[in-house]
Amino acid sequence: MTVFEELKRRGLIAQMTHEEKIKELLENEKVTFYIGFDATADSLHVGHFLQLVVMKRLQMAGHKPIALLGTGTTMIGDPTGKTDMRKMLTPEEINHNAECFRRQMSRFIDFSDGQAEILRNGDWLLNLNYIDFLRDVGRYFSVNKMLTAESVKTRLERGLSFLEFNYMLMQSYDFLHLYKSIGCKMELGGDDQWSNILGGIDLVRKVEGEEVYGMTFTLLTTSEGKKMGKTEKGALWLDPEKVSPYEFFQYWRNVDDSDVVKCLKLLTFLPIEEIEAMENWEGSQLNQAKEILAFEVTKMVHGEEEAQKALDTARALFTANADAANMPSTELSAEDLADGHIGLLDLLVKTGLCPSKGEARRLVQQGGIMLDDEKMTDPAFSVPKAAFEKGHVIIKKGKKVYHKAILK
């Protein structure tokens, strides 16, 4: 099975500009392609991980990935999927984030011996002369056509700044620059980037008179169409300092039954035949499939040792033989206790299990919290220092979330 057939069979491809030509290229040539990553945070998240999986698949098939870090485009901000203008970051913050991305990407993509490259679009975008750019590039873009792009239409009612309106031109120029400088023939991205990708393809065609190609892959959403990768702490980050390997494992262990096979196809490198055989699994078999998903994805992101620790901890907790050694934990100090107690609601917020005391109150009232196997029903309850005699207390939220609070 070719890599093109593999991508289609796994449901990774959402849209393509020239299906037959892309199929021919991927099956018969070594193609240089790129995916852009705006450096908006100091860690990659699960949405980026799906893009890295696609890059890795194509690299394994002999193609050359370019990871383009948006040190220039991040200065502007992509309006796609945003309700408001992105927070403005300083050049120092952007470069720091880009360096964090570079380190994380190196865990997935082989950048040795020219097999892949990491570039920064600030190297060319930040040196552009605005008047020359408008004359050389802006003249090829129709405002009427740009206004039909989904990334623009969804923002018009709330307001779209002229700064963000320039984003499509900048991303399109990236493709032109990469085509001219290193012969890059394809741009890939999430399906929400379709309009921007088409802009780049059109620009290369008009300026260079050459055909280049674009392909988008399926966005990581639930069966109900909701975006995956959100936790109570925010995005599902790949940085273990932001989301522990155990928490990461548990996220995938707890996906809905209807999403587990799709996630296995999109995110793992298990043989597709093995995954397709799971499509008829039910009951306890589905739990096994979720465990496989969680282990495989955690292994890729955090390594096999951490994945095994997370698996062992999850199984121990499930069988009520709770070895809390690898459980997510929060350290409390003496200052966190007032008169030898800490309020239950304060504890839930302090450990990050609830974003606010109001949410913590509702959860307790609904019977969703247990403390050392005892159900908590009183929001006014205070946890005494004596409860930490063994060094910690175990908080259980709902049916599957465990957290250890340690008193130092």
Side-chain angles (χ1 to χ4, degrees):
M1 184 166 51
T2 67
V3 67
F4 182 83
E5 293 168 338
E6 178 92 358
L7 293 174
K8 290 203 75 173
R9 190 165 168 182
R10 288 179 176 270
L12 277 160
I13 299 176
Q15 298 188 75
M16 291 175 282
T17 53
H18 310 76
E19 179 168 349
E20 288 304 316
K21 185 60 179 177
I22 290 173
K23 181 177 185 293
E24 180 184 337
L25 278 172
L26 293 180
E27 291 179 355
N28 298 293
E29 296 185 26
K30 179 178 180 179
V31 180
T32 298
F33 67 95
Y34 92 95
I35 299 179
F37 300 81
D38 275 352
T40 55
D42 59 0
S43 172
L44 297 167
H45 54 63
V46 162
H48 296 128
F49 178 64
L50 177 61
Q51 299 177 60
L52 294 171
V53 167
V54 175
M55 292 177 77
K56 186 172 181 66
R57 286 193 181 281
L58 288 170
Q59 185 180 50
M60 290 167 62
H63 305 292
K64 181 176 180 177
I66 305 297
L68 184 62
L69 305 182
T71 52
T73 43
T74 308
M75 299 283 286
I76 293 175
D78 184 2
T80 303
K82 310 293 189 302
T83 57
D84 295 296
M85 191 169 77
R86 181 189 286 171
K87 176 189 174 184
M88 301 285 280
L89 300 176
T90 66
E92 293 76 20
E93 289 172 321
I94 292 170
N95 285 318
H96 169 73
N97 293 345
E99 178 59 22
C100 293
F101 279 22
R102 184 195 64 78
R103 290 196 300 267
Q104 289 180 318
M105 287 175 175
S106 298
R107 289 182 58 89
F108 307 101
I109 308 301
D110 184 359
F111 291 101
S112 65
D113 303 321
Q115 296 183 72
E117 292 186 53
I118 295 182
L119 302 177
R120 301 183 179 213
N121 63 15
D123 291 348
W124 54 85
L125 292 180
L126 297 179
N127 296 321
L128 289 173
N129 177 288
Y130 189 57
I131 298 298
D132 289 343
F133 180 75
L134 290 178
R135 289 173 62 88
D136 296 341
V137 174
R139 64 193 177 103
Y140 293 111
F141 286 81
S142 161
V143 171
N144 291 349
K145 187 174 180 180
M146 290 174 70
L147 290 173
T148 66
E150 285 300 319
S151 59
V152 173
K153 284 196 302 183
T154 55
R155 284 289 301 281
L156 288 179
E157 289 186 9
R158 293 182 62 91
L160 177 69
S161 69
F162 183 68
L163 177 72
E164 296 169 288
F165 195 57
N166 280 268
Y167 190 90
M168 184 184 290
L169 276 70
M170 296 295 180
Q171 182 169 334
S172 299
Y173 184 77
D174 282 343
F175 203 170
L176 177 63
H177 176 86
L178 293 174
Y179 173 79
K180 292 170 68 174
S181 60
I182 59 175
C184 181
K185 289 186 178 181
M186 283 185 62
E187 180 181 0
L188 277 63
D191 202 37
D192 55 354
Q193 292 294 309
W194 183 241
S195 297
N196 291 336
I197 291 173
L198 292 179
I201 289 169
D202 197 43
L203 179 62
V204 175
R205 183 187 300 120
K206 288 175 178 177
V207 174
E208 295 294 310
E210 298 289 343
E211 284 290 350
V212 288
Y213 309 96
M215 180 168 69
T216 62
F217 37 82
T218 305
L219 297 176
L220 200 59
T221 57
T222 66
S223 54
E224 292 83 21
K226 297 178 181 178
K227 193 173 182 180
M228 295 187 78
K230 290 291 185 182
T231 71
E232 290 170 344
K233 295 182 179 180
L236 191 60
W237 303 107
L238 306 192
D239 184 346
E241 296 299 318
K242 293 179 178 290
V243 175
S244 73
Y246 176 78
E247 292 173 292
F248 190 84
F249 178 97
Q250 283 295 95
Y251 178 87
W252 300 109
R253 176 62 182 80
N254 294 331
V255 298
D256 289 341
D257 292 355
S258 56
D259 294 320
V260 62
V261 171
K262 180 181 77 171
C263 289
L264 281 163
K265 288 180 178 179
L266 295 178
L267 296 174
T268 76
F269 287 82
L270 294 176
I272 185 62
E273 296 82 6
E274 184 177 325
I275 299 171
E276 288 172 343
M278 301 179 191
E279 290 177 343
N280 296 320
W281 285 13
E282 296 179 352
S284 60
Q285 284 185 310
L286 269 179
N287 286 328
Q288 182 184 348
K290 292 179 184 182
E291 197 173 82
I292 293 170
L293 169 66
F295 182 84
E296 290 296 324
V297 178
T298 306
K299 180 174 70 173
M300 284 190 285
V301 173
H302 297 295
E304 187 164 2
E305 182 179 351
E306 291 296 336
Q308 189 62 51
K309 286 180 183 178
L311 175 62
D312 292 343
T313 299
R315 285 178 172 174
L317 292 170
F318 183 76
T319 58
N321 182 26
D323 174 6
N326 299 309
M327 192 184 298
S329 62
T330 299
E331 288 190 1
L332 305 176
S333 65
E335 288 73 27
D336 291 313
L337 276 66
D339 298 324
H341 292 76
I342 182 171
L344 177 60
L345 305 186
D346 291 321
L347 180 62
L348 293 174
V349 173
K350 179 76 175 178
T351 55
L353 291 171
C354 294
S356 67
K357 291 177 73 170
E359 178 61 30
R361 180 182 300 277
R362 283 190 292 274
L363 194 60
V364 172
Q365 290 172 336
Q366 293 166 3
I369 294 293
M370 295 183 71
L371 203 65
D372 284 340
D373 294 326
E374 182 180 347
K375 180 174 285 190
M376 297 288 104
T377 57
D378 182 7
F381 179 77
S382 286
V383 184
K385 184 178 181 180
F388 295 90
E389 283 183 352
K390 62 181 181 295
H392 64 262
V393 295
I394 302 296
I395 307 166
K396 182 181 179 184
K397 176 184 172 184
K399 294 181 179 180
K400 300 175 180 178
V401 177
Y402 291 82
H403 198 95
K404 179 171 58 176
I406 303 167
L407 182 60
K408 288 293 188 181

